[in-house]
Amino acid sequence: MFSVATAKYTSFNVPLTLTLKGPLDHDHDHEDQAHHKANPDRCDGIEFDAIAPDEKGHTFFFKGDHLWNGFNGPAQVSSAFFKELDDYHHLGHVDAAFRMHNKEKPKDHDHIYFFLDDKVFSYYNHSLEEGYPKDIQLDFPGVPGHLDAAVECPKGECNSDSVLFFKGDEVYNYDIATQSVKERQWAHLPNCTSAFRWLEQYYCFHGHNFTRFHPVSGEVNGVYPKDARHYFMRCPNFGHGGEAKVPKCSEVTLDAITSDDSGKTYAFTGHIYMRLDTHRDGKHAFPIARTWKELDKGVDAVFSYSDKIYIIKGNQVYIYKSAAPSTLIEGYPKSLKEELGIEGPVNAAFVCADHHIVHIIQGQKMQDIDLSATPRVVAREVPLPIAGIEAGMCGPDGVKVYVGSKFYHYETPRLLAFSKMSPEPKKITPDMMGCVE
Ligand SMILES: *[C@@H]1O[C@H](CO)[C@@H](O)[C@H](O)[C@H]1NC(C)=O
């Protein structure tokens, strides 16, 4: 079940960014380059001015009049991406930046805001919105100028859709709807020079280090600070270094795929897993063992059922709580025989939402096991019309089973089992897995 493509995703400490390149990656910054300072190298250990994602989930790191687009690659001139930033008094840097999360006001949602002195700039699709730059006070009353950092905090993570602004050791919690500002000091947190929300976590950057904090309490859990070069960029002497290879879509093959009740979707290949539902933050690959630490040798099949994630490897079943951090349920792993009444290996497994049946695919047969019954027994076994299925999931739009770098889409498990005609296989696309054509 290990695929050739596995080698293409390298396993290391750093999020392997699968974000595709931005819309402005041409060379038109070259003629501009002359009047800018030499390209900084973020592997030297840089204190960033600002970090923020754009509406497509590309993360930008700012330093002086340069930026980096994503976790890989060299510095580029900021004004090649955000043209007007350079026009404004030729300040040559931004103080802070964040991406707006405001579902109530679609007009502002996903805009990227920059702060320079006492001005704010709002961009969408890399174009400056009309009426900007403006005084910060007009858009964000009560928020001071000359900020150090800013970060979005959507409702659910903060009490309401908010922005956290940082200046010195002051934190300003700005409620977007009421425009009210609560000022606080988190004495244990270093002064942040940039702040970044990424995959539901909050990071305060200071020097070339970062500290993860809780956006409501400011609490820091774990061993911090950490060196950003190990985590947010690829540097030769940090992590495992080297170039990250983004695989071609035609080479991507999955070992397993699943979506849990909260909509988090995970694809597994070799030692790597990817979150597929994180459009706003780009798609990123991580070592499986980073999240499910007992599984350092890959997986065969994964399914989600009642707030838990079931991972099958060989003849063993591992059950984890879905909620972060993933913890293995006591008493696991157990044998497949004991847990589900079958022998391994398993090629693919899935449960449809609100159902209690796990559909287990082994070779060219599918077995249905009722998870609400004890003991667990195979209630039904059917031959399948297609061979070579290695991963499968059931979502709101039906069942997808993956064969090589293609997948078949069926409306229901029943149709997968009984269709006389196989549907046309579809290709895995960059949109789905962050691969390249
Ligand atoms: C943090 O900010 C406060 C207020 O601006 C300042 O007095 C203090 O020296 C700063 N701390 C560090 C470590 O820079």
Side-chain angles (χ1 to χ4, degrees):
M1 238 146 299
F2 282 71
S3 59
V4 196
T6 297
K8 305 284 179 188
Y9 290 97
T10 33
S11 163
F12 52 96
N13 232 336
V14 182
L16 206 179
T17 177
L18 296 170
T19 312
L20 297 176
K21 293 227 165 190
L24 294 166
D25 270 347
H26 348 289
D27 285 325
H28 73 327
D29 54 307
H30 279 176
E31 71 270 21
D32 249 15
Q33 205 85 41
H35 80 263
H36 292 276
K37 295 174 198 90
N39 273 16
D41 181 352
R42 56 179 156 177
C43 291
D44 290 345
I46 272 183
E47 182 169 90
F48 295 106
D49 295 332
I51 305 172
D54 70 4
E55 68 285 347
K56 296 200 178 70
H58 302 128
T59 299
F60 291 93
F61 296 79
F62 296 87
K63 177 66 179 178
D65 57 5
H66 283 78
L67 60 71
W68 290 262
N69 177 7
F71 296 74
N72 280 308
Q76 304 178 60
V77 172
S78 308
S79 53
F81 289 78
F82 302 99
K83 193 166 146 285
E84 297 80 359
L85 286 181
D86 203 33
D87 299 345
Y88 183 74
H89 293 323
H90 291 281
L91 276 184
H93 75 281
V94 297
D95 293 333
F98 78 96
R99 181 183 57 188
M100 176 64 86
H101 189 280
N102 185 2
K103 285 293 177 61
E104 307 292 313
K105 262 206 195 155
K107 203 176 97 14
D108 295 344
H109 182 63
D110 270 356
H111 283 213
I112 176 165
Y113 286 77
F114 294 99
F115 298 83
L116 272 84
D117 289 351
D118 52 2
K119 297 284 184 213
V120 55
F121 294 65
S122 169
Y123 280 85
Y124 189 73
N125 198 18
H126 295 255
S127 308
L128 186 66
E129 291 291 294
E130 219 184 298
Y132 288 88
K134 280 185 195 178
D135 286 345
I136 294 174
Q137 286 303 315
L138 291 177
D139 253 13
F140 301 95
V143 174
H146 301 274
L147 288 162
D148 290 331
V151 64
E152 64 177 315
C153 188
K155 185 174 176 174
E157 294 168 24
C158 278
N159 298 326
S160 57
D161 280 341
S162 310
V163 186
L164 303 178
F165 292 100
F166 297 82
K167 179 171 177 162
D169 51 6
E170 299 288 324
V171 184
Y172 301 82
N173 185 329
Y174 178 85
D175 182 308
I176 294 167
T178 65
Q179 300 196 321
S180 61
V181 181
K182 285 202 195 87
E183 214 174 317
R184 44 178 63 114
Q185 289 187 331
W186 289 331
H188 56 282
L189 196 67
N191 296 355
C192 313
T193 58
S194 55
F196 181 36
R197 172 186 179 271
W198 193 62
L199 301 174
E200 298 122 28
Q201 304 283 351
Y202 290 78
Y203 301 95
C204 160
F205 284 72
H206 45 95
H208 54 75
N209 292 323
F210 69 92
T211 296
R212 196 179 77 195
F213 65 96
H214 191 280
V216 177
S217 65
E219 225 172 299
V220 174
N221 283 308
V223 184
Y224 291 98
K226 290 186 159 98
D227 193 313
R229 288 172 287 184
H230 283 294
Y231 294 86
F232 290 94
M233 56 209 78
R234 292 184 61 81
C235 296
N237 300 314
F238 295 84
H240 295 146
E243 259 313 295
K245 277 211 188 79
V246 178
K248 285 194 179 146
C249 291
S250 60
E251 291 170 346
V252 172
T253 61
L254 301 184
D255 294 331
I257 184 166
T258 192
S259 183
D260 72 13
D261 293 341
S262 65
K264 290 191 178 120
T265 305
Y266 304 94
F268 299 82
T269 178
H271 290 72
I272 297 292
Y273 82 88
M274 235 183 298
R275 275 280 295 282
L276 300 182
D277 58 302
T278 51
H279 318 288
R280 286 186 95 233
D281 296 349
K283 294 191 175 71
H284 303 274
F286 299 96
I288 293 170
R290 195 196 254 193
T291 300
W292 299 282
K293 68 173 186 301
E294 292 76 11
L295 290 158
D296 53 1
K297 298 199 170 59
V299 306
D300 292 345
V302 179
F303 64 92
S304 303
Y305 176 66
S306 81
D307 297 329
K308 297 191 183 65
I309 179 158
Y310 289 62
I311 304 185
I312 300 172
K313 175 66 182 168
N315 261 311
Q316 307 270 291
V317 184
Y318 297 75
I319 307 184
Y320 291 84
K321 293 199 184 93
S322 291
S326 294
T327 41
L328 188 63
I329 306 270
E330 216 184 300
Y332 286 87
K334 286 187 181 167
S335 71
L336 261 176
K337 188 85 201 152
E338 190 183 352
E339 185 66 26
L340 296 175
I342 56 170
E343 299 284 349
V346 168
N347 295 104
F350 58 89
V351 174
C352 296
D354 304 327
H355 288 237
H356 301 289
I357 305 288
V358 58
H359 306 275
I360 299 273
I361 296 176
Q362 294 187 289
Q364 216 172 327
K365 68 179 188 206
M366 182 165 77
Q367 305 176 84
D368 292 352
I369 298 164
D370 187 345
L371 293 169
S372 64
T374 39
R376 306 265 170 74
V377 288
V378 175
R380 189 171 67 164
E381 181 178 319
V382 292
L384 291 177
I386 38 184
I389 296 173
E390 300 207 48
M393 68 172 279
C394 185
D397 58 346
V399 176
K400 288 183 186 132
V401 289
Y402 292 79
V403 178
S405 63
K406 301 210 166 89
F407 67 95
Y408 296 84
H409 187 187
Y410 293 89
E411 268 166 50
T412 64
R414 206 185 142 73
L415 286 171
L416 162 64
F418 298 113
S419 284
K420 288 261 159 27
M421 300 230 299
S422 293
E424 273 295 298
K426 295 178 186 158
K427 285 186 185 152
I428 289 175
T429 62
D431 227 26
M432 296 164 62
M433 304 275 171
C435 43
V436 290
E437 290 285 14

